[in-house]
Amino acid sequence: MPGLPAASPDEPRLRHMPSAGEEAARMAAVRRYNILDTPPDGAFDRVAAMAARLFDVPVATVTIVDADRIWFKAAHGLEGVTQIGRDPGLCASAILRDDALVIPDTLTDPVARSNPLVTGPLGVRFYAAAPIITSDGHRLGTVNVLDTKPRVITEDDTANLADLAAMVVDAMELRLSGLRLLREEQERRKTQEEARERAERDREAIAAFASTLQRTLLPPSLPAIPGLELACHYQTASPRDVGGDFYDVFPLGADRWAFFLGDVCGKGAEAAAVTSLTRYTLREAAQHHDDPTDVLYALNSALLLDPSMGSRYCTCVFGTLHPAPGGGFTITFATGGHPPVFHLQPDGDASMAVDGVRPAIGMLVGALEEARFASHTLHLAPGHGLLLYTDGLTEARTTDGNMLGEDGVAAFLARRGTAQAGRLVADTVNLLAALPDGADDDIALLALSVPHQPVPEQPTAMAPTLAAASFDGADRAGQERPR
């Protein structure tokens, strides 16, 4: 490839001298990236080092053209120099061009020969630069290669230099995006810290605040679904903490309903933020996806994409139901890292058969991009019931110090001999109240059952029950409204 001639002021790709307004807009773009006078950054240092290797030159730099100076964001082979004056400036000339500026011999160039890098100890004789151009057309600076002896480069070389300048733009955009996210996170953390400080100054208001916030994260009531009975219960381990457990039941239209129950990692305001995002995402995704697994995939993406969520994740059961031919309901659900759903059905005597059911695959939601989920379908026939719960139930400890576990809860429910939603919830709450230490974690319960005989629809729906660790209204907690 033939060498390129030296640049001259009347080259066809030389841009006009910018007006005062254009220069002001360019400087606004420089300020937007907030990069001037920042510490060394590996991404830009690598670009300078790569340029030096590609062109086999002793010096390569990444510069930003300020109003009155050329500032070096990265400098390979140029120790102790962080900036030089803008006039006369090679970089200042390079940003006036749409293509690369190449000066084979600086001593023959009227602008370059008076530059301090040429006249000073470094003795630069060769200079080439590609402008760093943003997506909206502003030229912020240049990627430069310098040598102490004259030389020519090929068109492929100038294309490589332009690619390096484009890499700098990409790095600056990523850095800007990171700064924005960091500022947003700092603002969120500042807000949370201020909220915590206010709570410490007024401890009497903490319990009321937590209770009010908790209610905003739970449905005010459960819907009336013809032929189905619903019951729910919620209790926090401490009245001063906002729990991370959640549940909801809502219509999808055309005799279809959706339900979910889950548990966010952690407690307090940050867990409440994740709970709020989770409930909103599940409700919104359910309107667009018929398959429960797709709804969980949408939630997984939302939790991973929102930087304010940090490393928070959740477990969740999400399902849909609709009337089945011949009675009862067809239920399809998917789980993400959640305990199995208890399916209760009569076994021919006074006890119930209790099966722990969950799909074959169900990873934690919001923990991994490659999380996978699967669904399971069952028939909730007349006389059958489902109990959904968070792990505060199975991790509650008995008098001997052992956890109840899934087997212990299933054995208890089997002995109670009922699948009716209200009694399932009330019996479970009574079980917790009878334990020596109650429950030391938040607990959410949601029960669904199909009566043997149709129950007339009532005009009211059951509101969720909120309780603290010591609950004294177990029977009332399990009272359901017939559907």
Side-chain angles (χ1 to χ4, degrees), residues 121-471:
L122 189 61
V124 172
R125 293 291 302 277
F126 165 79
Y127 174 82
I132 299 169
I133 306 175
T134 66
S135 60
D136 50 353
H138 296 295
R139 288 157 171 77
L140 307 185
T142 54
V143 174
N144 316 276
V145 290
L146 303 86
D147 203 349
T148 55
K149 56 182 180 296
R151 61 187 294 178
V152 294
I153 61 174
T154 67
E155 291 182 0
D156 285 344
D157 291 331
T158 59
N160 289 335
L161 197 60
D163 287 341
L164 291 172
M167 290 172 60
V168 171
V169 173
D170 291 341
M172 293 178 68
E173 290 291 347
L174 287 173
R175 181 180 179 277
L176 180 61
S177 176
L179 288 173
R180 287 172 178 165
L181 294 177
L182 179 61
R183 283 193 291 267
E184 292 173 1
E185 176 65 15
Q186 289 173 339
E187 286 299 317
R188 289 189 183 94
R189 291 187 179 277
K190 179 181 177 181
T191 300
Q192 293 166 0
E193 182 61 30
E194 290 173 350
R196 284 193 291 268
E197 290 175 356
R198 287 194 299 269
E200 290 171 0
R201 291 192 300 266
D202 190 3
R203 295 185 62 84
E204 292 182 357
I206 295 177
F209 168 77
S211 177
T212 301
L213 180 56
Q214 191 72 71
R215 290 181 186 277
T216 67
L217 301 175
L218 298 172
S221 63
L222 297 179
I225 302 178
L228 187 70
E229 295 180 1
L230 298 171
C232 59
H233 173 72
Y234 191 97
Q235 69 182 56
T236 56
S238 169
R240 294 185 178 87
D241 277 331
V242 181
D245 293 7
F246 57 90
Y247 65 89
D248 204 353
V249 182
F250 55 96
L252 296 175
D255 287 333
R256 294 179 69 246
W257 289 266
F259 62 89
F260 60 77
L261 178 142
D263 183 3
V264 167
C265 169
K267 300 182 187 297
E270 292 184 356
V274 182
T275 300
S276 180
L277 173 64
T278 297
R279 293 186 70 249
Y280 171 80
T281 302
L282 289 172
R283 273 183 162 263
E284 180 67 16
Q287 306 299 324
H288 302 285
H289 301 289
D290 293 333
D291 189 339
T293 60
D294 291 334
V295 175
L296 291 189
Y297 282 122
L299 175 60
N300 192 66
S301 297
L303 292 178
L304 289 170
L305 288 175
D306 194 326
S308 68
M309 298 302 102
S311 59
R312 299 282 179 171
Y313 56 86
C314 72
T315 68
C316 184
V317 178
F318 178 88
T320 60
L321 59 91
H322 60 85
F329 288 81
T330 298
I331 294 181
T332 301
F333 67 93
T335 63
H338 203 79
V341 173
F342 286 134
H343 182 196
L344 294 88
Q345 50 191 312
D347 65 355
D349 54 28
S351 64
M352 303 294 296
V354 182
D355 295 323
V357 183
R358 67 172 133 203
I361 303 173
M363 301 170 68
L364 287 171
V365 185
L368 298 171
E369 291 184 6
E370 61 270 20
R372 293 293 177 263
F373 311 104
S375 62
H376 180 83
T377 300
L378 59 82
H379 179 220
L380 194 66
H384 290 204
L386 282 185
L387 178 64
L388 286 69
Y389 55 93
T390 52
D391 59 9
L393 172 61
T394 53
E395 292 177 0
R397 295 190 178 275
T398 61
T399 54
D400 58 8
N402 294 322
M403 290 191 297
L404 279 174
E406 296 167 12
D407 292 341
V409 175
F412 170 81
L413 295 175
R415 292 193 301 269
R416 301 303 293 174
T418 179
Q420 191 260 343
R423 294 311 310 169
L424 283 176
V425 169
D427 289 345
T428 304
V429 171
N430 283 331
L431 169 64
L432 291 168
L435 297 178
D437 298 318
D440 58 5
D441 195 4
D442 306 327
I443 294 177
L445 304 174
L446 178 63
L448 305 79
S449 64
V450 179
H452 286 287
Q453 298 296 330
V455 178
E457 182 177 344
Q458 298 297 318
T460 59
M462 188 190 70
T465 299
L466 287 172
S470 56
F471 185 81

